[in-house]
Amino acid sequence: MSLSPMMQQYHQAKEAAGDALLLFRMGDFYELFHDDAKTAARLLGLSLTSRDKGENPIPMAGFPHHQLDQYLAKIIAAGHRAAICEQMEDPKQAKGIVKREVTRVVSRGTVTDDALLDPQSSNYLAAVVTDKAQERVGLAWVDMSTGLFACAPLSPTQVADQLTRIAPAELLLSVDQRDAMPTTWTLDRTITTRPAWAFGQKQAIELLARHFGTQTLDGFGFNCESPADLMALAAAGAIVEYLTETQKTDLSHISTLTPMREGQSLEIDAATWRSLEVTQTLRDGRRDGALLGVLDRTTTPMGARRLGEWLSYPLVDVAAINARLDAVGELVDQSQLATAVRDTLKNIYDLQRLIARVTTGRAGPRDLQCVGRTLATLPALKAKLTGRSSTLLAGIESRIDLCPELRSRLETMLADECPHLARDGGFIRSGANEKLDEFRELMSGGKQWMANYQAAEIERSGIPSMKVGFNKVFGYYLEVTHAHIAKVPPEYIRKQTLKNAERYITPELKEYEEKVLSAEERVLALELELFAELRDLTARVGPRLLSTAAALADLDALASLAEVARARNYVRPEICDEPVLEIEAGRHPVVEATEPAGSFVPNDCVCAGHDVLSAESPAPSPEPQAPSILLITGPNMAGKSTYIRQTALLVLMAQVGSFVPARKARIGVADRLFARVGASDELARGQSTFMVEMTEAARILNTATHRSVVVLDEIGRGTSTYDGLSLAWSIVEYLHNAIGSRTLFATHYHELTELAEQLPGVANRNVMVREHFGKIVFLHQIVPGAADRSYGIHVAQLAGVPKAVSARAEEILAELEATGHRVDTSHVAPAEPAVKKPSKNGSLQLTLFETTEHPVVAQIRDLDLNAMTPLEALQRLNEWRKDL
Ligand code: ADP
């Protein structure tokens, strides 16, 4: 069957678009055909019709062109990509079939339109590539809407952690590696596959150097000899290749590539990230209810995104942390300054996303106007920052570039009200361009020209009552009453006779008329031309605007931290290099914010990392060392998780450079933060809870150091009590003996509290509860010592379990306790503690890990049953029973 020329054109474009839905522009509509039409009908609720209704109807669906944005949003939200195929010439002027081309491919990771983006979050496109043996991984990520571009050489175990923090909107993978990638990297992600060559290392270096206009990539801090760096660069190259291929625009706002290396920031793995709910809640992924929700009081989207970045990558350098704390401190102390800064920031637009749209050629007049208005706000902001004592604030002052030439150009050229789209016209201020004023004058009927012309002709002809008029049939004319006909100049051409007047046209009027009629088109054309000039001018200033934008983002994030610190009464933490943790009256930032004011019970936390590896030659310590491990026991609902989570959050906040909710805090910089708290969400990933728990525990035991902070909740829940207890026991021992990290271990295994007697670095804490008329009251207060019982039945009662059930449980408990069955350790399978340490008195450890069999067992083994009568056997049984 032969295809119509247009359908041939369609198929060519569709081939180029690959698996993206092809939006094929036909007149005022975007149409989709074949399978794309079916998908779109389902996805977008369009009605499915057909083209060539005959033997081979082609499924078709479409929507009016001005609804493009709205449909794009739905397409990409559903994880699809859309290739937009435009008409490249005016159909009226086209000879034969209209030329069409795919002008860009829109996907989740490449959008720059505000309508398709969350202003407060970064929108990353990421790429992952591995070597053949899957030993080295390269990860790169870019925010096309702001220009931020980074890459990291990683080991396979780090990939899922990084991806969790970056949360890319779209992930590029090589088509031949896609299936071999672990699901923890790919599950629930929008994936776009690219040909294998797009990830080539050599081509990446060339492509990146060309993109940045540099000879080598050394200047960015890469070593092109290093296999690890090459992997990272290969991923970065794949991103640039993809953007070039799909966006077909200038990408110069992506002006630098930052290498992210291990040890540059606080390492936080995926499970910790989720369980601490730093940027979003575990249950429903909201910002409210997460730490970011409490700390974010920014006034600009740039600030909100910057704060998110800071929380994702807390610092590890004491000086850098103190620099942020100095700036926050200055803003806290000078509340008037802080208020003034925040008020001024309210007039700042999202400069980063504006510039991204300007350089990619997608900006409209209102975007330029927003750039101009932002520039107009800068002098006041800069003035407020002069003479600041903290280095960061002073630095921000000098990084703010007022760009006066651009500002004045935008202000003189743009009208007070600008439309979104340039094609709507009317955005160049009158008086800004003479030609344009003239065209506009013509367009609006040119009253002045008319008056002038009329006056001149009256003067020349001596006909005082002559006037210029307009009608649809003749256009412009001169009207002369019969009384003056004799004086009409000879060159006038008579067109119409009325009762008492004649109407004439003149060559000048005709010429003028033509001008008027084409003026509308010319006004728009000229406005578009002027707009393009303004846009190019802005794009040229782009790099200066972007570094100003970065300074504004920093300022807003700092001001936000100061505002929260002031409003919530946080203090500046003392930051040091020694692995200590001394928190006085610490509070949970999020729980505190949700509970009625003043009802949160503050708690202390003191512990210190022990450098167990170099403990062979310990420097004699003058004072007793703080414990490295705090074992926290207490009934359910007492506040154990809240307490350990709050400690981890305070460490993270301090390393972000934020003040912390406490009366006083001294915090030694952590290299890694581990938290396993609350329900695991990994079940959905097809792994059993226990397997997940152990994988995570293994991760901690294999990577934590004495500089790390570890908080663990109820390790060993997912298996039988004895298994669980044994594991929890040996994990604590290992953390104590082989790692020495600052550890908070919340547990309902009451038996573990005996560890405090055996290991010098372990101390017990419990959460106070009071019994009050048979009910328990949670005091949420952490005190030294072990909890004496677990109160589970009381809690069950509080939760509304029928009275009969809780009463019976009390009975069973009493019985078990009386017969000593609560910890029947004789059933514990032989287990080898990971690191053996001779126990001082070893009582519980012995009972736990004792493997000698009971003497009765030997006697049973030695019995010669064939030589015994049933009565004898019964007697022996009776004796044993007595013995036991
Ligand atoms: P656990 O881990 O011991 O079961 P949680 O930490 O989940 O207990 O705390 C249970 C509830 O008690 C929390 O939801 C919180 O509302 C409240 N809570 C915990 N700690 C405090 C505190 N220090 N001050 C006030 N309320 C608290």
Side-chain angles (χ1 to χ4, degrees):
M1 187 189 71
S2 69
L3 288 171
S4 69
M6 204 194 64
M7 283 319 278
Q8 281 176 20
Q9 196 185 35
Y10 170 82
H11 282 288
Q12 265 168 17
K14 179 64 196 165
E15 201 161 307
D19 58 2
L21 297 177
L22 184 69
L23 309 183
F24 195 70
R25 180 74 180 257
M26 292 172 68
D28 284 340
F29 279 78
Y30 287 103
E31 302 286 2
L32 298 102
F33 298 104
H34 296 288
D35 284 350
D36 283 2
K38 292 183 198 163
T39 312
R42 187 165 36 79
L43 213 64
L44 311 174
L46 301 174
S47 53
L48 193 64
T49 57
S50 58
R51 191 180 165 84
D52 295 345
K53 300 188 178 70
E55 268 175 44
N56 291 303
I58 300 171
M60 174 170 115
F63 54 84
H65 72 102
H66 58 85
Q67 291 176 350
L68 180 63
D69 272 357
Q70 152 195 349
Y71 283 112
L72 277 180
K74 288 189 186 166
I75 292 173
I76 64 168
H80 287 272
R81 301 186 306 134
I84 304 175
C85 184
E86 294 289 2
Q87 297 178 166
M88 301 309 284
E89 53 190 349
D90 187 341
K92 279 183 236 142
Q93 270 140 38
K95 291 194 197 83
I97 186 158
V98 184
K99 207 169 144 237
R100 290 185 174 84
E101 248 173 50
V102 172
T103 52
R104 65 171 169 144
V105 182
V106 182
S107 62
R108 271 171 113 153
T110 58
V111 284
T112 50
D113 319 49
D114 265 353
L116 306 179
L117 288 164
D118 171 5
Q120 299 197 306
S121 317
S122 301
N123 189 63
Y124 291 118
L125 166 73
V128 170
V129 62
T130 78
D131 60 0
K132 279 211 185 65
Q134 274 210 9
E135 279 165 2
R136 281 204 182 84
V137 186
L139 170 69
W141 60 104
V142 70
D143 187 342
M144 173 73 182
S145 70
T146 63
L148 186 148
F149 191 20
C151 67
L154 298 175
S155 69
T157 52
Q158 298 169 313
V159 181
D161 299 343
Q162 288 294 328
L163 286 173
T164 305
R165 275 199 270 183
I166 297 166
E170 183 178 358
L171 182 61
L172 305 180
L173 300 177
S174 161
V175 68
D176 60 355
Q177 295 193 337
R178 162 122 190 44
D179 294 338
M181 298 247 166
T183 51
T184 50
W185 303 3
T186 56
L187 199 73
D188 297 335
R189 302 205 183 282
T190 300
I191 288 175
T192 301
T193 49
R194 302 294 297 158
W197 58 259
F199 291 82
Q201 299 181 346
K202 198 158 157 274
Q203 99 139 14
I205 294 174
E206 280 167 21
L207 190 63
L208 291 167
R210 199 169 344 119
H211 172 79
F212 294 117
T214 51
Q215 288 284 319
T216 70
L217 299 170
D218 299 1
F220 296 113
F222 293 99
N223 171 5
C224 292
E225 306 287 300
S226 137
D229 277 18
L230 282 171
M231 289 309 291
L233 290 171
I239 283 186
V240 172
E241 191 276 333
Y242 178 66
L243 291 179
T244 313
E245 156 85 21
T246 58
Q247 303 305 297
K248 307 179 198 296
T249 61
D250 184 351
L251 297 170
S252 60
H253 66 296
I254 302 173
S255 57
T256 160
L257 177 61
T258 314
M260 299 285 264
R261 301 192 184 281
E262 203 177 349
Q264 266 179 355
S265 61
L266 176 64
E267 302 277 322
I268 305 173
D269 60 70
T272 301
W273 185 249
R274 280 192 288 267
S275 70
L276 287 182
E277 305 189 301
V278 183
T279 52
Q280 53 180 43
T281 56
L282 198 58
R283 187 172 301 173
D284 44 18
R286 284 176 317 119
R287 227 172 133 86
D288 273 357
L291 179 62
L292 183 56
V294 174
L295 296 185
D296 186 359
R297 299 210 178 180
T298 56
T299 41
T300 71
M302 295 187 285
R305 295 193 299 266
R306 178 55 47 91
L307 192 60
E309 283 162 27
W310 283 359
L311 286 179
S312 306
Y313 291 94
L315 305 169
V316 287
D317 178 50
V318 176
I321 297 170
N322 276 327
R324 279 195 199 156
L325 288 171
D326 287 345
V328 174
E330 190 168 358
L331 290 166
V332 169
D333 293 343
Q334 308 209 17
S335 63
Q336 275 187 335
L337 167 72
T339 313
V341 163
R342 279 161 45 83
D343 282 347
T344 320
L345 281 170
K346 286 187 187 131
N347 301 319
I348 298 270
Y349 291 84
D350 193 340
L351 204 51
Q352 290 171 325
R353 287 193 172 161
L354 287 168
I355 299 311
R357 285 201 295 278
V358 168
T359 34
T360 53
R362 288 174 197 152
R366 190 166 302 164
D367 289 329
L368 294 188
Q369 185 175 41
C370 290
V371 172
R373 290 188 173 161
T374 300
L375 291 177
T377 309
L378 295 183
L381 199 56
K382 204 171 160 84
K384 294 202 171 73
L385 294 174
T386 24
R388 292 302 136 214
S389 55
S390 70
T391 0
L392 277 192
L393 292 181
I396 288 170
E397 193 269 345
S398 62
R399 282 157 68 205
I400 294 177
D401 186 337
L402 302 178
C403 306
E405 338 69 46
L406 178 65
R407 175 186 165 193
S408 88
R409 184 92 184 122
L410 291 174
E411 280 174 353
T412 40
M413 294 304 287
L414 291 172
D416 290 340
E417 291 294 327
C418 287
H420 267 298
L421 301 172
R423 66 159 192 258
D424 291 340
F427 50 84
I428 298 286
R429 187 183 287 284
S430 61
N433 181 289
E434 245 175 72
K435 260 238 137 37
L436 186 68
D437 287 348
E438 196 181 304
F439 289 154
R440 278 194 178 142
E441 249 261 297
L442 284 168
M443 204 173 91
S444 61
K447 286 202 187 77
Q448 194 54 46
W449 188 92
M450 220 63 90
N452 293 347
Y453 182 67
Q454 186 173 302
E457 286 303 294
I458 288 173
E459 167 102 44
R460 191 164 73 91
S461 62
I463 308 174
S465 62
M466 182 154 65
K467 56 183 191 218
V468 181
F470 178 84
N471 77 19
K472 284 222 173 96
V473 187
F474 307 113
Y476 288 98
Y477 56 79
L478 287 161
E479 194 175 287
V480 179
T481 52
H482 288 307
H484 293 290
I485 275 190
K487 286 186 248 167
V488 167
E491 69 274 18
Y492 279 24
I493 302 157
R494 199 163 56 92
K495 271 282 165 185
Q496 195 183 13
T497 305
L498 303 178
K499 216 162 99 199
N500 52 3
E502 296 285 338
R503 285 177 174 174
Y504 303 89
I505 58 167
T506 66
E508 275 156 302
L509 264 183
K510 273 296 120 188
E511 194 186 318
Y512 180 72
E513 187 179 304
E514 236 157 62
K515 274 197 201 163
V516 170
L517 297 182
S518 64
E520 214 171 306
E521 276 168 32
R522 293 163 80 172
V523 162
L524 188 59
L526 184 53
E527 279 206 88
L528 290 178
E529 203 177 292
L530 292 169
F531 173 71
E533 266 171 37
L534 281 179
R535 198 184 54 200
D536 291 351
L537 175 70
T538 312
R540 277 198 299 282
V541 185
R544 284 161 66 194
L545 291 169
L546 278 177
S547 64
T548 300
L552 296 172
D554 286 350
L555 179 63
D556 196 11
L558 291 169
S560 170
L561 291 177
E563 171 67 15
V564 188
R566 205 193 43 73
R568 298 216 152 271
N569 216 1
Y570 292 177
V571 295
R572 176 177 179 150
E574 185 192 325
I575 304 293
C576 58
D577 257 331
E578 309 88 76
V580 295
L581 207 52
E582 295 165 18
I583 296 167
E584 214 177 284
R587 285 122 50 202
H588 190 298
V590 182
V591 178
E592 174 188 52
T594 48
E595 305 268 298
S599 63
F600 191 88
V601 182
N603 278 301
D604 298 347
C605 176
V606 177
C607 61
H610 295 179
D611 190 357
V612 286
L613 297 180
S614 65
E616 311 303 341
S617 55
S621 157
E623 331 159 12
Q625 257 190 325
S628 66
I629 298 180
L630 299 180
L631 276 178
I632 298 121
T633 43
N636 282 329
M637 290 300 290
K640 299 184 297 296
S641 325
T642 307
Y643 175 67
I644 63 174
R645 214 190 283 239
Q646 119 190 358
T647 308
L649 287 175
L650 261 60
V651 171
L652 185 136
M653 286 168 76
Q655 293 190 217
V656 163
S658 167
F659 280 24
V660 294
R663 192 186 312 132
K664 201 170 160 204
R666 183 160 173 264
I667 295 174
V669 170
D671 60 349
R672 296 182 165 88
L673 181 61
F674 295 96
R676 299 296 182 271
V677 191
S680 177
D681 64 334
E682 303 285 335
L683 272 182
R685 299 180 177 247
Q687 299 191 50
S688 85
T689 323
F690 183 66
M691 187 61 194
V692 171
E693 209 182 322
M694 286 305 119
T695 315
E696 292 176 355
R699 185 76 192 280
I700 298 173
L701 300 177
N702 291 325
T703 47
T705 74
H706 80 285
R707 300 197 161 272
S708 308
V709 168
V710 179
V711 307
L712 289 169
D713 195 12
E714 305 279 19
I715 273 283
R717 257 172 324 179
T719 180
S720 79
T721 311
Y722 300 122
D723 265 5
L725 175 54
S726 317
L727 279 164
W729 185 281
S730 64
I731 286 172
V732 174
E733 274 187 348
Y734 192 88
L735 283 163
H736 179 273
N737 298 337
I739 296 177
S741 53
R742 286 160 282 179
T743 305
L744 269 61
F745 197 107
T747 181
H748 68 281
Y749 289 126
H750 193 251
E751 295 75 10
L752 286 182
T753 55
E754 303 229 355
L755 273 163
E757 281 160 34
Q758 295 173 24
L759 303 173
V762 175
N764 282 323
R765 298 286 180 269
N766 76 91
V767 202
M768 270 218 293
V769 285
R770 283 271 154 73
E771 280 199 67
H772 194 65
F773 295 114
K775 294 228 160 132
I776 56 168
V777 183
F778 298 113
L779 299 180
H780 303 304
Q781 208 167 1
I782 308 284
V783 290
D788 47 2
R789 51 194 291 202
S790 81
Y791 296 89
I793 297 168
H794 278 87
V795 176
Q797 220 169 2
L798 283 183
V801 164
K803 195 120 195 97
V805 173
S806 57
R808 175 71 184 132
E810 293 274 17
E811 264 176 47
I812 297 171
L813 177 67
E815 213 168 288
L816 289 173
E817 281 177 344
T819 53
H821 271 83
R822 269 196 88 206
V823 203
D824 187 351
T825 51
S826 60
H827 293 80
V828 174
E832 192 72 6
V835 170
K836 268 198 186 155
K837 253 217 147 175
S839 55
K840 267 182 274 147
N841 60 23
S843 65
L844 186 66
Q845 195 167 21
L846 274 180
T847 48
L848 251 182
F849 300 113
E850 180 64 275
T851 55
T852 357
E853 55 188 33
H854 196 280
V856 172
V857 180
Q859 290 176 29
I860 295 175
R861 200 182 292 118
D862 295 339
L863 279 187
D864 183 359
L865 282 177
N866 293 334
M868 289 173 92
T869 66
L871 194 62
E872 278 170 350
L874 206 59
Q875 277 167 350
R876 287 302 280 278
L877 203 56
N878 199 28
E879 281 165 26
W880 287 332
R881 215 178 75 147
K882 271 194 215 138
D883 282 349
L884 288 172

